[in-house]
Amino acid sequence: MNQRELFLRHLGQTSAAPMALEIQKAEACTLFGADGKEYIDLIGGISVANLGHRHPKVIAAIREQLDAYLHIMVYGEFVEAPQVQYAQLLTRHLPASLHSVYFTNSGAEAVEGAMKLAKRATNRTGIIAFKNSYHGSTQGALSIIGDEYWRNAYRPLLPDILHLEYNHFPSLDHITENAACVIAETVQAEAGVKPPSPGWMQALRKKCTETGTLLILDEIQTGFGRTGKLWGFEHFDIVPDVLLLGKALGGGMPLGAFVADKKLMDVFTDNPVLGHITTFGGHPVSCAAGMAALKALLEEGWIDTVSKKEELFRSLLRHPKIKAVRSFGLWMAVEFESFDVCKGVIDRCLSGKGSGRKGSGRLERPDPLVLTDWFLFASNCLRISPPLIISAEQVKKACEIIVEACE
Ligand code: PLP
């Protein structure tokens, strides 16, 4: 049996038609297939590889930590330098009220922890989320995602959840003193890159403050420069009560976090003690990698390149089959008439078939391929969320391939 057959046989599957690409190596913005093909990576492991794959400073930090220790104790007991230093670096780049970091293993776990925090801190039970929002696949996170198709098969889920219309001013009237928290994506990701219109985030912030409801912003995709600023909320001139981080947080290693004021976070220390527990959360190697990635992201100035590259993509993604391009930074949804049209384009980008490309070449030779994907709640939209380090040449080549694949 080859690797692909073993993958299908021995790994739990999540779809009847996985991409099943076998990648041998990943470097910067390129994936190298086991079959010798090269792919320009336009999705970065779904908004994870903001600094590209295997950045030398991240690899060096991982190696250094490997020589010190791996797992030594459950979260929250030992003073582990990688956690402490990364929390300090993160909070140095956040507003003063966001100065206590709880590290988890994943984005969904950060969502779970933040919901528990909100219930304890407010003594309320209601949770408000938004239609077409995605927050993860664990049962709590699943309860608040905003699409019935994805939730329904797993009922019963968490009670006392209200889903409101995102970016809709009258909906805000439903936020009352019953709600422990409102959880919102700063820009809706899986809805196909949908930012709120001017004033809405500020109105949401105001309503939460008036009702004593915690505002939890999910920046698991919008964080770490994706939108052209370090944090998405900076575009809206507001500060959340709790910030959710994941994906690029670990520099390619698994890591999530929720960040809040220390007074809020301290609810987990008492009645019951150990109010939120994780064995591996804030793994030292993940924290070392994440800290090196954030330092490099800031020192090397990649966030400043985002809007130019966004414009370049937008100027080149033109074809009668492309109905619209929605973008918010180096993050875009290329909209087609239907899922079938979109999937056809994705498949041709990946195989080169039907576009005259053989996909046999290397980047320096003529024929790379392009890896992209669709969105969970916008399956007619092609996902572009590349490493922020993508070069102008790669952007041009990738757009050329996408436009050819539209034919
Ligand atoms: N929140 C958002 C906005 C996400 O995009 C995701 C994952 O795609 C999550 C939460 C869940 O993160 P994880 O898959 O690490 O659990």
Side-chain angles (χ1 to χ4, degrees):
M1 264 190 225
N2 63 29
Q3 289 295 310
R4 187 177 183 281
E5 286 162 346
L6 290 168
F7 160 80
L8 293 172
R9 185 182 176 119
H10 291 301
L11 282 173
Q13 296 294 316
T14 57
S15 131
M19 280 187 194
L21 272 187
E22 193 184 340
I23 300 301
Q24 221 159 43
K25 187 162 175 151
E27 199 79 61
C29 199
T30 306
L31 301 177
F32 300 86
D35 51 8
K37 293 179 184 170
E38 288 188 16
Y39 303 86
I40 301 174
D41 183 2
L42 286 195
I43 50 177
I46 312 290
S47 301
V48 168
N50 285 19
L51 198 60
H53 298 279
R54 300 184 68 256
H55 189 288
K57 289 177 184 160
V58 175
I59 299 298
I62 291 173
R63 291 213 166 103
E64 198 179 320
Q65 185 55 39
L66 293 182
D67 286 338
Y69 52 85
L70 303 179
H71 176 80
I72 43 171
M73 187 49 176
V74 297
Y75 178 83
E77 291 296 332
F78 284 8
V79 180
E80 299 189 24
Q83 292 176 350
V84 176
Q85 286 167 13
Y86 195 17
Q88 187 189 25
L89 178 67
L90 281 166
T91 54
R92 214 184 283 148
H93 291 279
L94 283 167
S97 58
L98 296 171
H99 60 122
S100 177
V101 182
Y102 191 117
F103 284 117
T104 62
N105 300 282
S106 66
E109 282 175 74
V111 172
E112 300 286 344
M115 288 197 285
K116 286 171 68 183
L117 178 79
K119 284 181 173 173
R120 283 297 312 282
T122 61
N123 249 330
R124 303 176 185 175
T125 54
I127 293 175
I128 295 179
F130 291 96
K131 292 179 185 164
N132 287 326
S133 283
Y134 183 75
H135 299 289
S137 197
T138 53
Q139 297 213 44
L142 190 63
S143 305
I144 58 166
I145 69 171
D147 190 302
E148 187 56 16
Y149 168 76
W150 301 88
R151 287 191 308 250
N152 194 31
Y154 299 99
R155 290 193 182 283
L157 293 166
L158 283 184
D160 222 353
I161 308 247
L162 180 63
H163 284 98
L164 302 180
E165 213 61 62
Y166 186 83
N167 197 21
H168 183 250
F169 284 87
S171 279
L172 301 179
D173 292 340
H174 295 281
I175 301 171
T176 66
E177 277 79 10
N178 294 329
C181 60
V182 173
I183 304 188
E185 289 170 276
T186 313
V187 172
Q188 284 199 314
E190 296 306 317
V193 187
K194 294 220 168 135
S197 47
W200 188 77
M201 265 293 161
Q202 290 88 334
L204 172 62
R205 172 66 276 184
K206 187 162 173 278
K207 190 71 185 179
C208 286
T209 305
E210 283 167 6
T211 56
T213 306
L214 295 186
L215 175 59
I216 301 177
L217 284 187
D218 181 339
E219 295 244 2
I220 288 167
Q221 286 209 46
T222 49
F224 298 95
R226 174 65 47 205
T227 66
K229 292 186 188 280
L230 182 56
W231 313 115
F233 65 79
E234 293 178 82
H235 291 276
F236 305 103
D237 217 13
I238 56 153
V239 176
D241 298 302
V242 183
L243 178 68
L244 306 179
L245 299 174
K247 295 205 180 258
L249 173 71
M253 296 290 289
L255 193 62
F258 53 104
V259 188
D261 187 284
K262 183 162 166 46
K263 280 200 295 293
L264 281 182
M265 201 67 94
D266 278 349
V267 298
F268 288 137
T269 62
D270 184 39
N271 190 28
V273 63
L274 303 175
H276 195 64
I277 306 179
T278 163
T279 298
F280 286 122
H283 193 284
V285 178
S286 298
C287 286
M291 183 163 76
L294 176 56
K295 276 189 183 163
L297 185 72
L298 297 169
E299 285 164 10
E300 295 173 12
W302 294 110
I303 299 175
D304 296 337
T305 71
V306 164
S307 68
K308 244 192 172 153
K309 290 172 188 170
E310 176 186 9
E311 279 317 306
L312 186 58
F313 266 112
R314 292 192 70 97
S315 68
L316 297 171
L317 287 171
R318 301 237 162 101
H319 186 278
K321 282 197 185 150
I322 297 177
K323 301 286 167 217
V325 177
R326 265 194 312 281
S327 66
F328 202 87
L330 205 39
W331 194 30
M332 48 203 84
V334 183
E335 192 176 323
F336 294 96
E337 188 181 280
S338 64
F339 172 68
D340 288 341
V341 177
C342 181
K343 184 72 168 66
V345 173
I346 293 169
D347 289 347
R348 285 191 290 281
C349 283
L350 208 52
S351 68
K353 284 189 193 123
S355 65
R357 287 176 186 274
K358 293 187 191 66
S360 56
R362 307 192 167 272
L363 254 192
E364 58 275 21
R365 291 202 261 134
D367 267 356
L369 298 167
V370 163
L371 175 65
T372 176
D373 203 355
W374 43 281
F375 290 88
L376 271 185
F377 307 147
S379 61
N380 63 328
C381 294
L382 179 142
R383 182 194 300 265
I384 296 184
S385 182
L388 309 186
I389 64 162
I390 191 170
S391 68
E393 286 64 40
Q394 284 177 310
V395 173
K396 287 180 198 158
K397 179 57 81 180
C399 290
E400 190 187 305
I401 293 170
I402 293 171
V403 170
E404 268 180 30
C406 290
E407 292 300 332

